[in-house]
Amino acid sequence: LFKKIFMEAFSMKKVIKFLPLVAAVLGLIAVIALFLPVINLANGDKFPGIATVIGYDKKAGETTIPMLGFSFMNLLTYLLVVGGIVCAVLTYLHKGGKYMAWIAAACLLFAGIFFFCVKGFAAVEYAPLKSLWSLGYGAILAGISSILGACALVAAKLLNK
């Protein structure tokens, strides 16, 4: 009896219907990485995603040392996530045509790959800095959640036949 009730409550069609929303939530997790450390320095300093996009200057007494400059590729990474979220929501609402899920999946997939390249995309103003970097947990979390969101959209599209 319990198995029958469980199977009716979680039928495959109901689960497939909400996969685009799951992808949108996973995309929102990736957007949160804008405020999490995506690059770690060997001395313990951490740069959030926003610093890798718009740049960062470190204050040392009266002077400022430019550490990171503006990076279009890191900006593109976050724009792709936002585009993927919008397309995933449009897919859930059945707006935008039959290719909207594929567009959303492509946006999230490329953003997920780009999150793992954030270190290479950063515009370094202080040259010795780049050899001391490692990927932060924000970039790893954002990359994994974006790729999982893309997988959810592909699954929704392929299983909704």
Side-chain angles (χ1 to χ4, degrees), residues 42-156:
N43 67 357
D45 288 345
K46 299 175 187 316
F47 295 119
I50 192 82
T52 62
V53 173
I54 62 172
Y56 176 74
D57 295 335
K58 188 172 187 170
K59 298 202 186 289
E62 294 284 323
T63 62
T64 59
I65 302 168
M67 303 288 271
L68 297 171
F70 172 75
S71 172
F72 175 75
M73 287 303 289
N74 283 330
L75 175 64
L76 180 64
T77 302
Y78 290 102
L79 291 177
L80 282 171
V81 171
V82 171
I85 292 169
V86 170
C87 291
V89 170
L90 288 174
T91 300
Y92 175 73
L93 297 174
H94 302 292
K95 306 274 187 206
K98 62 182 180 178
Y99 296 114
M100 191 59 65
W102 295 113
I103 294 169
C107 287
L108 289 175
L109 178 65
F110 282 114
I113 294 168
F114 287 173
F115 274 118
F116 291 109
C117 301
V118 70
K119 189 175 118 174
F121 291 156
V124 180
E125 299 287 332
Y126 183 65
L129 191 65
K130 201 155 193 169
S131 64
L132 305 172
W133 286 3
S134 64
L135 205 57
Y137 66 86
I140 296 168
L141 175 71
I144 290 171
S145 68
S146 293
I147 292 171
L148 286 176
C151 291
L153 284 162
V154 169

Side-chain angles (χ1 to χ4, degrees), residues 13 17 55 60 132 159:
K13 290 194 182 258
K17 179 182 173 187
L132 305 172
L159 296 174

